[in-house]
Amino acid sequence: MKTTTIAASVALVLGLSTVTAAQAEDVEVLHWWTAGGEAAALDVLKQDLETQGVGWQDMPVAGGGGEAAMTTLRARVTAGNAPTAVQMLGFDITDWANEGVLGNLNSVAAEENWDEVVPTALQAFAKHDGNWISAPVNVHSTNWVWINKAALDEAGGKVPTTWEELVTVLDAMKANGITPLAHGGQPWQDATIFDAVVLSMGNDFYQKSMIDLDMDALSGDEMTEVFNRMEKLRSYVDENFSGRDWNLASSMVIEGSAGMQMMGDWAKGEFVKAEQTPGEDYLCIRFPGTQGSVTFNSDQFAMFGQDDGDSDAQLKMASSIMNPVFQSAFNVVKGSAPARTDVPNDAFDDCGKKAMSDLAEANTANSLFGSMAHGHAAPAAIKNAVYDVVTQHFNGELSSEEAAGELANSIEAVL
Ligand code: GAL
């Protein structure tokens, strides 16, 4: 009897300690990667962590661009129940770091020499006050156009390199009876196109208006022209565009019911998932007039407050994310470029190779800019002001001139 009791107590203690150990080796990951290509990429990370004995508790919050995920994050942190690892973009990371709630990844960063291999543009967000606070998993860029190859051939076959040529192709696609522009009417998607159109007015203009937030640039004639172009693009979307998710718009291009989509290279994850081949089934081009320039965003994972310091699981996750072999495997599926400069491009398709070389070139030529639509040009309050104006104008509630004026006013109000 006594022996049994002891054995039972031992088992209980062992059992409990097993549970504790299992929990210590778990990460709860809040993210918004719920579309086909995104989920496939996330699986690469999940499986990688599994091989290291790190368990995965999934906390998906659907909604492209991550606005809904950030609302959930705020609620969880306020309730004292922060997830351990969170997908985040640019200035959101800085905002949370300023609140002093992010874990410190210095030990693993020093051991693995992150300082040497992560591009400076990403370090600007991944480091705060000299400390590593997040692990960048990729670099996306927003000034891409994804074109159905057969639809382009039927529309004359000429790859557009200027705004005028783009309009010619879109007109031809319209005449051929397809939806020229696959788009989902959601503020972040409207703003993603807006990024590219602003950049098509020149690097200096993007810098002045989106990064420096110069009031003259925000309200002037060039910005009115940007909105005129947005209005023109609006005329090429189908009547069911409102509220459509971005990946459904990608499907329209994949199936050929639409000619093209203007979207960041997470869209390529959908083409990869559908087993389409660049150059044969579809083309990836830079938004006409932005060749040589890149508006980027980088998904990073920040670790949230564990009272007893960062857990092993969090550090293991950070280390896995930065592993060069993982960075290749993950980004091939995600459609993005690696967040390190030393990852070979062999495994990437032609669009992936172009993403990597464009990025390197833009970085040297000073034509690499943070994306406004994806939180890398300005903090959320400003980004949201841009979303509001761009969407109101896209939906016909403001003229182009009014929109330019309103853009400057609403940004000034939150500065
Ligand atoms: C971006 C994010 C991408 C992709 C996209 C659509 O903000 O950086 O990884 O997920 O949203 O959801």
Side-chain angles (χ1 to χ4, degrees):
M1 186 66 185
K2 208 179 167 197
T3 327
T4 325
T5 314
I6 291 168
S9 320
V10 170
L12 193 66
V13 169
L14 283 178
L16 279 179
S17 65
T18 316
V19 171
T20 316
Q23 279 169 350
E25 288 300 306
D26 268 7
V27 278
E28 190 200 5
V29 185
L30 192 153
H31 64 89
W32 63 92
W33 284 338
T34 55
E38 294 176 325
L42 198 69
D43 255 0
V44 179
L45 179 58
K46 262 186 220 172
Q47 280 164 21
D48 192 83
L49 291 179
E50 226 164 68
T51 61
Q52 302 182 52
V54 178
W56 182 282
Q57 292 173 32
D58 207 30
M59 179 69 204
V61 183
E67 269 187 292
M70 289 303 102
T71 306
T72 301
L73 174 63
R74 174 63 64 188
R76 292 271 312 254
V77 176
T78 306
N81 179 29
T84 44
V86 181
Q87 177 196 356
M88 266 199 262
L89 295 172
F91 280 92
D92 289 336
I93 308 174
T94 313
D95 285 348
W96 282 107
N98 283 331
E99 295 193 27
V101 289
L102 297 187
N104 181 316
L105 306 175
N106 282 349
S107 59
V108 59
E111 201 174 308
E112 298 174 358
N113 225 0
W114 295 5
D115 277 319
E116 299 302 312
V117 292
V118 175
T120 337
L122 305 196
Q123 289 194 27
F125 300 105
K127 285 176 91 169
H128 189 70
D129 287 342
N131 296 315
W132 281 93
I133 47 155
S134 63
V137 68
N138 63 18
V139 192
H140 274 301
S141 52
T142 57
N143 57 321
W144 285 108
V145 185
W146 309 92
I147 310 181
N148 180 293
K149 171 88 166 57
L152 181 69
D153 289 344
E154 273 160 42
K158 164 103 179 65
V159 173
T161 57
T162 61
W163 170 254
E164 290 70 26
E165 287 175 8
L166 175 66
V167 169
T168 304
V169 172
L170 287 163
D171 281 339
M173 287 175 168
K174 198 174 198 170
N176 289 340
I178 58 169
T179 299
L181 183 57
H183 180 62
Q186 296 173 346
W188 75 271
Q189 292 190 60
D190 301 341
T192 300
I193 301 188
F194 181 75
D195 263 5
V197 177
V198 173
L199 189 62
S200 76
M201 302 295 292
N203 290 337
D204 287 350
F205 184 66
Y206 191 92
Q207 173 72 38
K208 269 197 204 138
S209 59
M210 297 292 103
I211 312 283
D212 302 341
L213 305 174
D214 176 289
M215 290 300 143
D216 291 340
L218 286 165
S219 61
D221 290 350
E222 274 172 303
M223 191 55 84
T224 303
E225 174 59 13
V226 167
F227 281 109
N228 282 337
R229 290 183 178 190
M230 292 297 289
E231 198 175 313
K232 183 76 179 158
L233 292 176
R234 166 77 165 76
S235 72
Y236 296 110
V237 306
D238 66 322
E239 58 182 17
N240 297 321
F241 83 103
S242 187
R244 174 188 288 134
D245 286 331
W246 66 271
N247 53 315
L248 300 181
S250 306
S251 296
M252 291 165 69
V253 179
I254 290 169
E255 290 156 10
S257 63
M260 65 178 83
Q261 180 183 21
M262 296 158 180
M263 188 44 70
D265 41 15
W266 45 92
K268 209 197 71 182
E270 299 301 303
F271 288 86
V272 170
K273 186 103 207 309
E275 297 181 354
Q276 293 220 329
T277 309
E280 286 173 26
D281 304 308
Y282 71 99
L283 303 175
C284 52
I285 64 162
R286 291 293 172 181
F287 189 93
T290 71
Q291 298 88 334
S293 303
V294 169
T295 37
F296 81 97
N297 63 301
S298 163
D299 293 299
Q300 310 205 3
F301 283 90
M303 308 300 163
F304 268 79
Q306 303 297 294
D307 293 340
D308 50 349
D310 301 304
S311 75
D312 264 11
Q314 287 176 313
L315 295 176
K316 274 187 185 166
M317 180 173 177
S319 169
S320 293
I321 286 172
M322 291 308 297
N323 180 299
V325 176
F326 165 78
Q327 288 259 338
S328 175
F330 175 89
N331 286 303
V332 160
V333 180
K334 185 70 171 71
S336 33
R340 323 178 31 124
T341 51
D342 60 349
V343 177
N345 71 0
D346 313 33
F348 290 79
D349 63 23
D350 287 351
C351 295
K353 287 191 168 85
K354 180 169 165 54
M356 289 169 79
S357 59
D358 282 0
L359 205 59
E361 191 187 311
N363 193 32
T364 353
N366 281 330
S367 52
L368 177 64
F369 304 98
S371 153
M372 173 59 84
H374 295 269
H376 281 67
I382 293 165
K383 178 186 85 171
N384 290 335
V386 173
Y387 279 13
D388 284 352
V389 176
V390 169
T391 290
Q392 279 178 45
H393 171 268
F394 203 72
N395 292 337
E397 291 160 29
L398 297 171
S399 72
S400 295
E401 263 182 17
E402 285 167 347
E406 194 51 34
L407 189 67
N409 287 341
S410 55
I411 289 179
E412 197 162 35
V414 290
L415 274 181

